[in-house]
Amino acid sequence: MKVVTLSDSSGYIHDPDGIDTKKLAYVKDLKGAKRGRISEYAEKYGCEFHEGKRPWEVNADLAFPCATQNEITLDDAKQLITSDVIAVCEGANMPTYKDGIDALLAAGVLFGLSEAANAGGVAVSGLEVTQNSMRLS
């Protein structure tokens, strides 16, 4: 398996060669420390940047919406189905609209609902809040 897209609010990059650990380290620094745009990845690694678009139009086996709530619309779900996606696993809190979920399930796409797929992150966040409240490091 290889990751071939990453996105932010400005658009997405498509790197058919895959995003390896070196490229991922660059993205972590770009987004975390430098607060840069994902388009800078495309400039550095010579791949495509699709301004104002979402990565769901790229043919892939798996899709992982992990950014925001209400990210995948019914039209996006239809695009994923057309692209022959096998599974969608939500990594954000409720990134797929209800009608998108219904369409994916009706098409036989495996679907990892955020309440199940993202439960560990939510549980850890709760522990972090408690720990911070108690002033424990």
Side-chain angles (χ1 to χ4, degrees):
M1 180 174 85
K2 64 181 173 180
V3 175
V4 295
T5 66
L6 290 173
S7 63
D8 65 17
S9 60
S10 67
Y12 76 91
I13 58 99
H14 179 214
D15 186 346
D17 294 332
I19 299 160
D20 60 20
T21 54
K22 178 183 168 193
K23 292 175 180 177
L24 183 59
Y26 171 78
V27 171
K28 288 168 76 174
D29 182 60
L30 172 69
K31 300 302 287 177
K34 297 178 180 166
R35 311 305 285 170
R37 306 307 294 166
I38 201 66
S39 58
E40 295 173 53
Y41 176 104
E43 293 167 11
K44 180 171 178 69
Y45 293 107
C47 66
E48 300 172 4
F49 171 67
H50 300 269
E51 186 173 358
K53 294 188 174 186
R54 298 177 181 185
W56 316 126
E57 63 189 17
V58 175
N59 284 0
D61 294 330
L62 307 171
F64 297 90
C66 296
T68 61
Q69 184 174 336
N70 298 329
E71 181 180 354
I72 295 182
T73 65
L74 176 58
D75 288 339
D76 294 325
K78 289 177 180 177
Q79 180 64 55
L80 286 164
I81 293 164
T82 302
S83 299
D84 294 325
V85 71
I86 297 167
V88 174
C89 186
E90 296 183 320
N93 292 326
M94 302 182 326
T96 310
Y97 282 92
K98 174 76 168 93
D99 55 359
I101 294 171
D102 293 341
L104 290 165
L105 292 175
V109 174
L110 298 172
F111 190 78
L113 191 64
S114 64
E115 285 85 346
N118 195 23
V122 173
V124 169
S125 293
L127 293 172
E128 289 172 343
V129 168
T130 301
Q131 186 178 24
N132 290 340
S133 250
M134 296 173 69
R135 307 277 193 255
L136 297 173
S137 58

